[in-house]
Amino acid sequence: MDAQGRGRADNIDPADQWVLNPNTGEYELRLTPSAPQSGVPRPRRGSPANAGPGAGTRARRAPERESPAKPGPDVPGPRRRRGAPAEPPPGRRKGRTQSKKSKAKKILLWTGGTMAFVLVAVSAAGYLYLKHLEGNVSTTDVGSAGKKGFSKDEAFNILIIGTDKRTGKGNEGYGDAGSVGHADTNILLHVSKDRTNATALSIPRDLIVDVPDCPTKQPDGTEKVIPGTQNVRFNTSLGQDGRDPGCTMRTVKAVTGISVDHFMMADFNAVKTLTTAVQGVEVCLAKDVNDPDSHLKLSAGKHTIQGEQALAFVRTRHSFGNQGDLDRIKVQQQFLSSLMRKMSSSDTLTSPTKLISLAEAATKALTVDTGIGKVSTLKDVALELKKVPPKNISFLTVPVRDNPADGVIHKTVIVDPATSQQVFDAISNDVSFTAVKQKEKKEKAEVAARLKGTRSAAADIRVDIYNGGAPAGSAQETLNWLQNTKGVPKSSQLGNADATLSKTTLEYSPDQADQARKLADLMGLSASALKPGKSEKNAQGLPAIVLTLGKDFKGAGVSLTTPTKAPEVDKSTADKTVCAS
């Protein structure tokens, strides 16, 4: 077409109205602007603005803020090449700005896509590494000996077992090569519900105990009950006669009364690999040591040890104290304190190399119960333990005394009945062995107030007794005790409760509060055991308070008041370095 023909809007080539949008990559229909066009030819870009029409150039469009030129004959803009960007409408020319925004948007789109790809790649790598670590962990199903899962909102008890099994490269030269893997080192780790404190209770391997019957899972999925034995060393609770860690957990419960939730077990290699992963653990000796049995040779003072040397340090028993297992336990506690400090130090936590080495070493070294068998769960356990300040992690040993049946001092030991029960009760009731500031009081003011007020006479108490988790026969035992020794004739026992309770409870209606307070006094119940609510009708159709004996019930006449202070015992804490002597 000639220039004159291009002056008619209806003669514009339709192809010129389709333009490529660089932001979307699609062609879009762009209609010819209907605004009036200047009748003055516009100069080419770079030509003087005052060039006349005879110069054959296009005049620059006046800025929007200036008065528009007088309308003239319709003169269309230049014909665009097919696919070229459209000219912006009059008064809105922002080609240069749009170009910059377009480039910026493309850059953002590209970098955003790259970042997303990187994040996906990292996430995928993290997932694959997690699955890799998952394959490192060995698990054992201990059945009802432990819990099925882990809760981050409760106190928990983990039994840490070090076996003397000689397996793996480098372990052949240690002691009895034919050992089935007994419970050589045993620590019951209790972590408080509020995470303000933890207690690591060592259990001597030479402690004389009764090992209970133990149901164990067999490789074919069946269950076999291994008969218990009496008056044997604690270390035979594992390995002997095919016993698994669940048997050791049950033995701990039989000795201490403390339920064990989970276990972690490791052999000699764990000490070597873990200390190597963190590039050494600092220990201190009060004197020179040269033990030919464990091959430990160190001068007095501080040393950083790892690998074979670290294993020799925790195995030696002829260089400290009375050369017995009890003094070796103290040395092992000092070693574990130092290992904890090193694992939680900023030097370790900020080093990807150390963290990866530690993750590999820890997962390969451990055998755990199926309740915590996932790496993600083990991570949760570690994070909960990390909340406890090292100064409030107490290391102590079960109070013991020499076994009088031996005739030889320091051969085997028995539980000291005079002091051990206080230690066990403190752990069972989540009481700290260090002075800590509790996040919550054990009994709030309104709970403590339940014990304030009048008491009825013992003869006026009407109570129904249920067994909600106490040993069989406890409800009848309590009934006999109340009627025959405490003068509570209006009592009856009604068998088992519908649910199992960890703590004994006493529920009552408001008009029976005086009876509940009196019964609490007789039985040694704490205010938290009292549950204001409603009573039930007894056999005579009269309202009766309801006493449900929980797992904490220790026998008729034995106080159930929760201790608020731990006994004074010989202990150390994880924040302090102690020189072995």
Side-chain angles (χ1 to χ4, degrees):
M1 293 186 203
D2 57 21
Q4 194 173 12
R6 290 199 304 270
R8 294 288 180 184
D10 54 357
N11 289 331
I12 294 178
D13 187 343
D16 288 338
Q17 297 175 283
W18 291 91
V19 293
L20 179 69
N21 186 330
N23 295 330
T24 64
E26 301 290 340
Y27 282 91
E28 298 175 357
L29 181 64
R30 183 75 58 82
L31 298 176
T32 302
S34 57
Q37 304 291 321
S38 171
V40 182
R42 290 172 289 181
R44 296 181 185 274
R45 185 171 296 177
S47 299
N50 61 352
T57 59
R58 302 169 192 154
R60 184 180 297 276
R61 182 178 300 168
E64 192 171 351
R65 62 180 178 273
E66 296 180 6
S67 301
K70 294 179 181 180
D74 290 338
V75 180
R79 181 169 180 171
R80 297 182 302 279
R81 289 177 297 175
R82 189 170 298 176
E87 192 76 22
R92 297 185 183 178
R93 184 163 187 168
K94 296 188 280 187
R96 197 170 287 183
T97 304
Q98 286 178 342
S99 177
K100 288 181 180 179
K101 285 186 176 180
S102 175
K103 289 179 180 178
K105 186 170 184 179
K106 286 180 180 178
I107 291 171
L108 285 173
L109 285 171
W110 186 85
T111 56
T114 303
M115 183 59 68
F117 175 79
V118 170
L119 289 174
V120 169
V122 170
S123 299
Y127 172 78
L128 291 174
Y129 186 65
L130 185 67
K131 298 306 289 183
H132 161 72
L133 291 177
E134 207 85 74
N136 289 345
V137 182
S138 299
T139 60
T140 298
D141 186 352
V142 296
S144 61
K147 287 188 175 180
K148 299 301 182 185
F150 176 73
S151 172
K152 294 187 284 187
D153 301 318
E154 298 177 353
F156 60 90
N157 300 314
I158 295 181
L159 181 62
I160 301 171
I161 306 172
T163 75
D164 57 356
K165 191 171 185 179
R166 276 70 173 169
T167 60
K169 185 178 180 181
N171 280 340
E172 302 88 350
Y174 299 118
D176 180 9
S179 173
V180 293
H182 293 112
D184 194 56
T185 300
N186 309 276
I187 297 176
L188 178 61
L189 178 64
H190 170 81
V191 181
S192 69
K193 181 177 181 179
D194 61 9
R195 307 301 187 247
T196 60
N197 65 92
T199 302
L201 179 69
S202 291
I203 303 172
R205 68 174 189 176
D206 294 330
L207 178 68
I208 297 300
V209 298
D210 292 341
V211 177
D213 293 347
C214 179
T216 59
K217 297 282 185 178
Q218 302 301 302
D220 61 0
T222 60
E223 187 174 86
K224 176 183 177 182
V225 177
I226 300 175
T229 51
Q230 288 71 47
N231 293 315
V232 293
R233 281 180 167 88
F234 181 90
N235 67 342
T236 61
S237 63
L238 176 69
Q240 197 82 6
D241 302 321
R243 294 184 177 120
D244 67 5
C247 299
T248 310
M249 295 166 70
R250 295 176 194 274
T251 304
V252 170
K253 174 68 180 296
V255 173
T256 67
I258 302 169
S259 296
V260 183
D261 302 318
H262 306 285
F263 84 87
M264 293 181 179
M265 182 172 67
D267 63 12
F268 287 149
N269 266 327
V271 176
K272 295 191 288 186
T273 56
L274 288 175
T275 54
T276 301
V278 296
Q279 297 179 9
V281 171
E282 186 181 271
V283 296
C284 181
L285 296 173
K287 62 180 181 180
D288 295 344
V289 171
N290 186 1
D291 185 354
D293 292 325
S294 68
H295 310 296
L296 179 67
K297 186 176 182 179
L298 288 173
S299 61
K302 293 183 178 180
H303 300 271
T304 298
I305 59 175
Q306 60 179 291
E308 294 286 349
Q309 198 173 38
L311 178 58
F313 183 84
V314 298
R315 289 187 64 243
T316 189
R317 61 183 293 177
H318 301 299
S319 303
F320 306 115
N322 59 21
Q323 301 187 14
D325 191 50
L326 295 180
D327 286 292
R328 179 170 64 170
I329 285 174
K330 292 181 180 179
V331 173
Q332 291 174 343
Q333 291 173 347
Q334 294 161 15
F335 175 83
L336 287 174
S337 295
S338 184
L339 179 59
M340 282 184 176
R341 291 195 298 271
K342 187 62 178 288
M343 291 173 66
S344 61
S345 68
S346 58
D347 181 52
T348 300
L349 297 178
T350 58
S351 170
T353 302
K354 288 184 182 179
L355 285 176
I356 290 175
S357 297
L358 187 57
E360 291 283 355
T363 51
K364 287 179 180 177
L366 292 176
T367 297
V368 301
D369 61 281
T370 52
I372 55 173
K374 292 185 178 295
V375 170
S376 57
T377 309
L378 290 173
K379 176 207 68 177
D380 289 340
V381 173
L383 290 177
E384 292 305 304
L385 181 58
K386 190 176 183 298
K387 294 177 182 178
V388 182
K391 67 178 182 179
N392 290 332
I393 301 178
S394 301
F395 286 89
L396 56 149
T397 304
V398 171
V400 296
R401 63 188 186 190
D402 288 330
N403 184 6
D406 284 342
V408 178
I409 297 177
H410 308 315
K411 182 179 180 182
T412 62
V413 292
I414 59 174
V415 172
D416 186 347
T419 56
S420 62
Q421 194 58 52
Q422 297 176 45
V423 172
F424 302 153
D425 287 346
I427 295 174
S428 296
N429 291 286
D430 210 18
V431 178
S432 175
F433 282 81
T434 56
V436 297
K437 184 178 180 180
Q438 301 290 343
K439 293 180 180 179
E440 294 181 4
K441 292 182 179 180
K442 291 298 178 183
E443 292 182 347
K444 295 181 179 179
E446 60 268 23
V447 175
R450 295 172 189 169
L451 286 175
K452 296 179 180 179
T454 60
R455 267 78 167 160
S456 71
D460 293 333
I461 298 173
R462 286 191 300 272
V463 56
D464 287 344
I465 307 168
Y466 292 88
N467 189 327
S474 293
Q476 185 62 46
E477 177 190 354
T478 302
L479 175 70
N480 296 339
W481 178 75
L482 287 174
Q483 290 182 343
N484 299 329
T485 66
K486 293 300 176 181
V488 185
K490 301 174 184 177
S491 51
S492 57
Q493 75 92 359
L494 301 179
N496 293 330
D498 293 334
T500 300
L501 304 178
S502 59
K503 303 287 186 182
T504 296
T505 62
L506 181 58
E507 188 173 6
Y508 56 95
S509 60
D511 61 340
Q512 293 174 303
D514 58 341
Q515 296 181 40
R517 286 190 285 265
K518 180 61 177 179
L519 186 59
D521 291 345
L522 296 175
M523 296 194 61
L525 297 177
S526 63
S528 60
L530 274 62
K531 305 295 180 185
K534 60 182 181 180
S535 58
E536 67 178 20
K537 295 292 181 65
N538 66 6
Q540 291 74 39
L542 299 173
I545 58 179
V546 179
L547 174 66
T548 305
L549 306 177
K551 291 181 178 179
D552 61 336
F553 181 77
K554 300 179 179 66
V558 180
S559 175
L560 292 177
T561 302
T562 302
T564 58
K565 185 179 179 180
E568 292 294 330
V569 293
D570 182 21
K571 68 177 186 296
S572 61
T573 53
D575 64 319
K576 291 184 173 64
T577 300
V578 180
C579 293
S581 60

